[in-house]
Amino acid sequence: MPGMDGHAALSALRAGGGANYAPYHFLREGQPAGFDVDLARALARAIGATIEVRLGPWEATRDSLRTGNLDLLVGLVMSEERARTYRFSTPYLTQQYRAFVRRGRFDVRAEDDLRGRRLIVQRDGVMADWVRTRGLTGAPLEVDTAAEGVRRLLDGEGDALLLDRKSVV
């Protein structure tokens, strides 16, 4: 049935997102949780739709959107590269990304200092795209969670961990 604007009314939405990006979207006791999940549910209620939120690995989630098994992604950070593939809503939050280093390291202070270093990023995350686009490293060390990234940085497996600052604090 068409809505007031002449477009088909949405009654059920399928949303997807990453399963390991607390506090934004993550699994808590096997159930989708986090700010982005709560926002998607609130928006669905506001337009009179139901929503099913599925969280999993980013690559599989993005594939599900491409194949039509999802209607939208929650929490996909916009980048120039991603804007060529996806349509984004008006931004609703700003994230501040940081380069975290081990205590006592003073040789990483600016973007150019990251070039050629062993960089740790979340798998399929915006920082993985960013380091490749900037040519900072050919193959960043990809991790599934912020906690794994911190552990691997502290173990000396990388020179810097690039994450949203709220993922680490």
Side-chain angles (χ1 to χ4, degrees), residues 67-153:
T67 60
N69 291 318
L70 290 175
D71 302 305
L72 61 105
L73 296 177
V74 298
L76 182 66
V77 176
M78 189 169 100
S79 69
E80 288 180 27
E81 181 179 338
R82 289 175 172 183
R84 289 190 284 273
T85 303
Y86 303 104
R87 248 178 82 196
F88 286 86
S89 68
T90 302
Y92 56 87
L93 68 89
T94 301
Q95 290 180 286
Q96 297 178 355
Y97 287 84
R98 301 281 190 260
F100 297 90
V101 297
R102 288 185 307 282
R103 187 181 310 253
R105 293 273 324 243
F106 301 105
D107 55 342
V108 176
R109 297 202 177 271
E111 179 181 329
D112 281 342
D113 298 334
L114 297 172
R115 194 166 309 285
R117 304 283 182 145
R118 296 173 301 158
L119 304 177
I120 303 170
V121 296
Q122 273 197 279
R123 188 174 320 286
D124 300 315
V126 71
M127 294 312 293
D129 296 343
W130 185 78
V131 299
R132 287 184 188 101
T133 300
R134 297 277 208 216
L136 297 176
T137 185
L141 174 59
E142 293 185 323
V143 297
D144 291 317
T145 65
E148 179 187 359
V150 169
R151 181 189 56 75
R152 293 182 84 168
L153 177 67

